Every structure is written in structure tokens, then in C-alpha cells.
Amino acid sequence: MITDECINCDVCEPECPNDAIYMGEAFYEIDPHKCTECVGHFDEPQCVQICPVACIPLNPEHVESRETLMQKYERLTAIKVTTASTGA
Ligand code: SF4
Ligand code: SF4
């Protein structure tokens, strides 16, 4: 999750391999349904690594095991493949 300390520097959004980061009403937000904490893509959460003001803590309401995150990654990847093959 991104806290209200976010300075809207735009750095994290393009780094997310899952397109989970988007501009919210006041500052950037993360879609928890798309965020895999970078599991499946990288060893470390890319947005957390890159944020200059360290305002991206883990969301205590979305604590997920590595297995759950990997399953989400596989689901998201499957959706992407399906979308690409149908041209949608
Ligand atoms: S942890 Fe990874 S997947 Fe989640 S929002 Fe950050 S960059 Fe995207
Ligand atoms: S990198 Fe941090 S400060 Fe910059 S937009 Fe993302 S959350 Fe906000």
C-alpha cells in the first residue's frame, strides 16, 4: 500500500511488473488484486526499492503467503496470455 506521504514522483508506476500502481485521487495507489509483492517477477518489491520517500509499507489488511502471491502471479499471467491471444 502507498501512504499519504507519497509525493507523486511517478517513479514507481512504470516499475510495477503487474500494472498494479495507478494514480488515485490524491496520490498513487496500489490495486491489491494485482500486486504480487513482485513474486514471480523479482526477488524484492520493486516499488518499495525505488520509492525515494519510503512510503510503501506492506498492507496489514492484505497479508499473503508466498504461495498465495505465486498463485496470483500465475492467474495474472494467464489473463495476460489470454488477452494477448484473443487480441482483446
Ligand atoms: S510490490 Fe511489485 S507488484 Fe506490488 S505494486 Fe509494487 S511493484 Fe507492483
Ligand atoms: S515512488 Fe513513492 S513517492 Fe513516488 S509516486 Fe511512488 S509511492 Fe509515491
Side-chain angles (χ1 to χ4, degrees):
M1 62 178 282
I2 294 174
T3 71
D4 61 7
E5 286 167 46
C6 170
I7 55 170
N8 294 332
C9 73
D10 306 336
V11 168
C12 58
E13 189 198 4
E15 293 300 320
C16 179
N18 294 319
D19 295 329
I21 303 176
Y22 61 95
M23 187 64 200
E25 272 183 34
F27 46 86
Y28 277 88
E29 295 180 22
I30 294 175
D31 181 348
H33 300 293
K34 287 187 174 178
C35 173
T36 62
E37 294 171 23
C38 284
V39 166
H41 292 281
F42 300 101
D43 290 339
E44 300 286 339
Q46 297 298 292
C47 58
V48 176
Q49 299 272 306
I50 207 162
C51 179
V53 296
C55 69
I56 315 184
L58 282 180
N59 188 335
E61 289 176 20
H62 288 279
V63 178
E64 295 163 290
S65 71
R66 197 175 169 84
E67 286 71 33
T68 309
L69 291 166
M70 186 52 94
Q71 282 166 10
K72 194 195 293 185
Y73 161 74
E74 286 168 357
R75 207 168 56 239
L76 288 168
T77 312
I79 291 169
K80 266 191 208 163
V81 170
T82 310
T83 309
S85 62
T86 57

